Amino acid sequence: MSPKALDYESINENVKKVAYAVRGELYLRASELQKEGKKIIFTNVGNPHALGQKPLTFPRQVVALCQAPFLLDDPNVGLIFPADAIARAKHYLSMTMGGLGAYSDSRGLPGIRKEVAEFIERRDGYPSDPELIYLTDGASKGVMQILNTIIRGEMDGILVPVPQYPLYSAAISLFGGSLVPYYLEETANWGLDINNVRQSVAQARSRGITVRAMVIINPGNPTGQCLSEANLKELLRFCFQENLVLLGDEVYQQNIYQDERPFLSARKVLMDMGPPMSKEVQLVSFHTVSKGYWGECGQRGGYFEMTNIPPRTVDEIYKVASVSLSPNVPGQIFIQYNSFFYCCTFYASILLLILGSPDIPYSSCYVRPRNILSVFSVRTDGQPAKARRHLISEVRYREVRMAEIQFLKGILGSLRRRAQIMTDGFNSCRNVVCNFTEGAMYSFPQVRLPPKAIEVAKKAGKIPDVLYCLKLLEATGISTVPGSGFGQKEGVFHLRTTILPAEEDMPAIMASFKKFNDEFMEQYEDHRGYSRM
């Protein structure tokens, strides 16, 4: 009998080529161990709420009312929900055609897209067109939709930074294209050398590959580096010269843990550069609610914005989006709050100047950002008007101060400290070196595996860093991702872990890692030591 359509031998070969290490062998083994009763710390994926980050109250209140609009008719609703949450829920419900259970426009609700455009304009200082913003089920869906639009066949290449987030390698394989790697320099804090990029393009072209697009991940995943303005200008000039689409993965733009290189969007830098580049370079930028202050991974809210994309191409992208009818509607409301919180943090920074530095310990309470906004009068164009000291008396003093801490010294402050604890912890370990996590949610230490360990891994049919991570999991319950799942230079080995475990748990986690690692090295190394690669 001939094979059936869904027998393994006859399915699409591109599906077989897809690999996604974040939910691969290590994750599956961790899940098995968890079922057997072993305590597992899942640091393999950037999933903040799963590791204890608390959701922010205000957007949850608004979405709760939108999900159950009959509550708005209850005479006691004001005893449970604050007035501004009620008003916001009514505002969003008025945008829908039948509430959250009804399909929206295939691009997302027009009112939400307008508010996202306003956020982008506040962030970058340049107008944004809501018609060129598509809301998606997380940023990943948008990335896949655009890659599917660009890739025509196996001779179409996409420049991707290595180490890279395996969404890109997986999607390029699925759509039948070719990944063209450009390597980041670990010894330069994962910096980018444009000459390496040029060499990658030249090598790809020598094999007959047409390089059509370039991916940047800023801040980097898994490497955590932040691109400077000079880096971005260099990349944009390169895309202009080589006629490449730039795909800007900017989902970690709120996760910055150093002050030297604040986040700058590729779009802002492009607009600052002016014509002809600002009118010619094709750019697609991606963002999400899964990261930043939010960590709302399960809500699946995201968007992409298109710059300098021809109208006929936009029409084709809309046509494909319409096949899925609608992005999920609750996630659309959450993506709007991403812009709301950007506004809040701007206002909170002004509040610090007004109130001074608060001397209150960090609290895990759920903070409602409305309390910051209520301190200010706001012009109808959405820009903050002059802050007035006398308005502070209209808001409970402690609420305002706690809001400051939540935004400026709370979530991101704790993440910054956790990044430092993890970096220092890795660098205290034998044969482990790690750059500081400047941004995003991950640490990516290099593990200098002894030759004996590499030989044992080969005999077991394992990639060496996979074997190391499996032994780490079995010994400690720490579930990581081997660096080979992200790409790395030949003979160099890494692992990726999130910096998301609770701050109070981090010292114990790093002590557990150090104990395992040092025992592993004692077992396998010849005590002559190794130099950093």
Side-chain angles (χ1 to χ4, degrees), residues 11 43 65 118 165 181 190 193 214 240 264 274 318 320 324 333 389 414 434 477 488 505:
I11 64 172
T43 69
L65 288 166
E118 291 167 354
Y165 177 47
W190 298 112
D193 185 341
M214 179 178 189
F240 178 68
L264 289 173
Y318 170 74
V320 173
S324 299
I333 294 177
R389 283 180 180 267
S414 178
C434 186
Q488 52 197 354
D505 296 336

Side-chain angles (χ1 to χ4, degrees), residues 270-336:
L270 177 61
M271 294 299 105
D272 285 348
M273 294 175 80
M277 289 179 52
S278 63
K279 301 291 187 183
E280 295 289 336
V281 174
Q282 295 182 342
L283 168 66
V284 184
S285 306
F286 305 90
H287 198 14
T288 182
V289 298
S290 298
K291 314 303 176 185
Y293 316 110
W294 297 90
E296 292 279 7
C297 302
Q299 306 294 349
R300 309 314 298 142
Y303 73 81
F304 62 85
E305 181 197 25
M306 297 173 281
T307 302
N308 296 327
I309 308 301
R312 290 180 65 187
T313 302
V314 173
D315 290 344
E316 294 299 313
I317 291 170
Y318 170 74
K319 179 181 69 178
V320 173
S322 68
V323 172
S324 299
L325 288 174
S326 166
N328 94 79
V329 181
Q332 296 181 42
I333 294 177
F334 273 93
I335 197 66
Q336 186 280 332

Side-chain angles (χ1 to χ4, degrees), residues 9-79:
E9 296 78 10
S10 60
I11 64 172
N12 186 339
E13 287 299 319
N14 289 341
V15 172
K16 298 179 186 178
K17 293 175 184 176
V18 169
Y20 189 69
V22 174
R23 290 286 176 90
E25 180 181 359
L26 266 293
Y27 172 76
L28 296 174
R29 179 58 182 149
S31 298
E32 289 175 1
L33 290 171
Q34 188 179 49
K35 290 176 183 177
E36 295 170 8
K38 187 176 181 66
K39 181 182 177 182
I40 303 297
I41 304 169
F42 285 99
T43 69
N44 60 298
V45 63
N47 195 9
H49 291 189
L51 288 167
Q53 181 173 313
K54 291 180 170 60
L56 296 166
T57 306
F58 186 61
R60 291 293 185 100
Q61 291 171 328
V62 173
V63 173
L65 288 166
C66 290
Q67 289 279 25
F70 54 84
L71 293 175
L72 294 169
D73 299 325
D74 191 308
N76 296 318
V77 65
L79 300 178

Side-chain angles (χ1 to χ4, degrees), residues 127-317:
S128 174
D129 185 351
E131 296 300 306
L132 298 177
I133 294 169
Y134 281 43
L135 308 184
T136 54
D137 295 341
S140 299
K141 287 289 187 181
V143 168
M144 294 183 74
Q145 183 174 348
I146 296 301
L147 285 174
N148 194 24
T149 304
I150 294 171
I151 295 171
R152 302 166 300 182
E154 63 181 351
M155 301 312 290
D156 280 349
I158 309 295
L159 272 167
V160 178
V162 174
Q164 54 101 22
Y165 177 47
L167 162 67
Y168 292 95
S169 54
I172 291 166
S173 294
L174 185 62
F175 300 136
S178 295
L179 186 148
V180 179
Y182 64 93
Y183 287 91
L184 304 176
E185 291 299 326
E186 184 171 10
T187 55
N189 206 28
W190 298 112
L192 185 149
D193 185 341
I194 199 69
N195 291 323
N196 289 344
V197 181
R198 294 185 192 281
Q199 289 176 6
S200 294
V201 171
Q203 290 170 4
R205 288 173 176 164
S206 71
R207 303 194 306 271
I209 293 173
T210 301
V211 181
R212 288 172 56 79
M214 179 178 189
V215 174
I216 60 170
I217 307 175
N218 182 36
N221 176 10
T223 49
Q225 86 286 0
C226 297
L227 294 175
S228 67
E229 182 175 7
N231 290 150
L232 288 166
K233 285 182 176 179
E234 198 170 34
L235 290 169
L236 287 162
R237 288 192 194 97
F238 177 76
C239 290
F240 178 68
Q241 292 163 359
E242 301 294 336
N243 201 27
L244 304 179
V245 181
L246 183 62
L247 306 182
D249 183 333
E250 298 174 338
V251 301
Y252 295 100
Q253 61 187 259
Q254 293 168 329
N255 295 95
I256 306 294
Y257 312 127
Q258 42 71 42
D259 302 319
E260 291 74 26
R261 281 177 299 283
F263 172 77
L264 289 173
S265 73
R267 179 180 180 274
K268 172 177 171 50
V269 175
L270 177 61
M271 294 299 105
D272 285 348
M273 294 175 80
M277 289 179 52
S278 63
K279 301 291 187 183
E280 295 289 336
V281 174
Q282 295 182 342
L283 168 66
V284 184
S285 306
F286 305 90
H287 198 14
T288 182
V289 298
S290 298
K291 314 303 176 185
Y293 316 110
W294 297 90
E296 292 279 7
C297 302
Q299 306 294 349
R300 309 314 298 142
Y303 73 81
F304 62 85
E305 181 197 25
M306 297 173 281
T307 302
N308 296 327
I309 308 301
R312 290 180 65 187
T313 302
V314 173
D315 290 344
E316 294 299 313
I317 291 170

Side-chain angles (χ1 to χ4, degrees), residues 246-501:
L246 183 62
L247 306 182
D249 183 333
E250 298 174 338
V251 301
Y252 295 100
Q253 61 187 259
Q254 293 168 329
N255 295 95
I256 306 294
Y257 312 127
Q258 42 71 42
D259 302 319
E260 291 74 26
R261 281 177 299 283
F263 172 77
L264 289 173
S265 73
R267 179 180 180 274
K268 172 177 171 50
V269 175
L270 177 61
M271 294 299 105
D272 285 348
M273 294 175 80
M277 289 179 52
S278 63
K279 301 291 187 183
E280 295 289 336
V281 174
Q282 295 182 342
L283 168 66
V284 184
S285 306
F286 305 90
H287 198 14
T288 182
V289 298
S290 298
K291 314 303 176 185
Y293 316 110
W294 297 90
E296 292 279 7
C297 302
Q299 306 294 349
R300 309 314 298 142
Y303 73 81
F304 62 85
E305 181 197 25
M306 297 173 281
T307 302
N308 296 327
I309 308 301
R312 290 180 65 187
T313 302
V314 173
D315 290 344
E316 294 299 313
I317 291 170
Y318 170 74
K319 179 181 69 178
V320 173
S322 68
V323 172
S324 299
L325 288 174
S326 166
N328 94 79
V329 181
Q332 296 181 42
I333 294 177
F334 273 93
I335 197 66
Q336 186 280 332
Y337 273 100
N338 206 50
S339 61
F340 177 70
F341 268 61
Y342 180 88
C343 192
C344 284
T345 53
F346 175 81
Y347 295 167
S349 65
I350 299 174
L351 259 178
L352 273 178
L353 301 177
I354 299 171
L355 297 177
S357 180
D359 187 23
I360 303 174
Y362 169 65
S363 168
S364 62
C365 69
Y366 299 174
V367 174
R368 299 179 58 252
R370 68 188 180 98
N371 298 319
I372 297 177
L373 292 179
S374 61
V375 180
F376 296 89
S377 57
V378 181
R379 299 205 309 260
T380 55
D381 61 1
Q383 298 298 318
K386 182 180 179 181
R388 299 181 174 88
R389 283 180 180 267
H390 70 270
L391 288 178
I392 294 172
S393 61
E394 300 175 15
V395 181
R396 286 191 302 160
Y397 185 69
R398 181 173 176 81
E399 271 197 309
V400 175
R401 291 170 71 83
M402 290 306 300
E404 294 172 61
I405 294 169
Q406 179 72 9
F407 283 104
L408 302 179
K409 294 190 173 181
I411 296 173
L412 293 185
S414 178
L415 285 170
R416 183 185 288 220
R417 292 190 295 273
R418 282 178 266 177
Q420 191 65 63
I421 292 169
M422 190 162 274
T423 302
D424 293 343
F426 283 131
N427 285 324
S428 74
C429 294
R430 195 162 161 177
N431 293 338
V432 178
V433 287
C434 186
N435 288 314
F436 177 67
T437 301
E438 296 180 343
M441 291 181 171
Y442 311 99
S443 222
F444 197 64
Q446 180 188 138
V447 183
R448 301 188 300 233
L449 295 175
K452 183 180 176 182
I454 295 172
E455 185 63 28
V456 168
K458 288 180 179 177
K459 288 181 179 178
K462 300 286 186 188
I463 299 172
D465 54 13
V466 172
L467 177 71
Y468 179 89
C469 291
L470 281 169
K471 287 186 174 293
L472 171 66
L473 172 64
E474 300 276 354
T476 67
I478 301 172
S479 176
T480 60
V481 187
S484 51
F486 302 91
Q488 52 197 354
K489 291 182 178 179
E490 185 71 27
V492 183
F493 305 104
H494 299 82
L495 62 84
R496 190 194 79 166
T497 175
T498 70
I499 61 169
L500 296 174

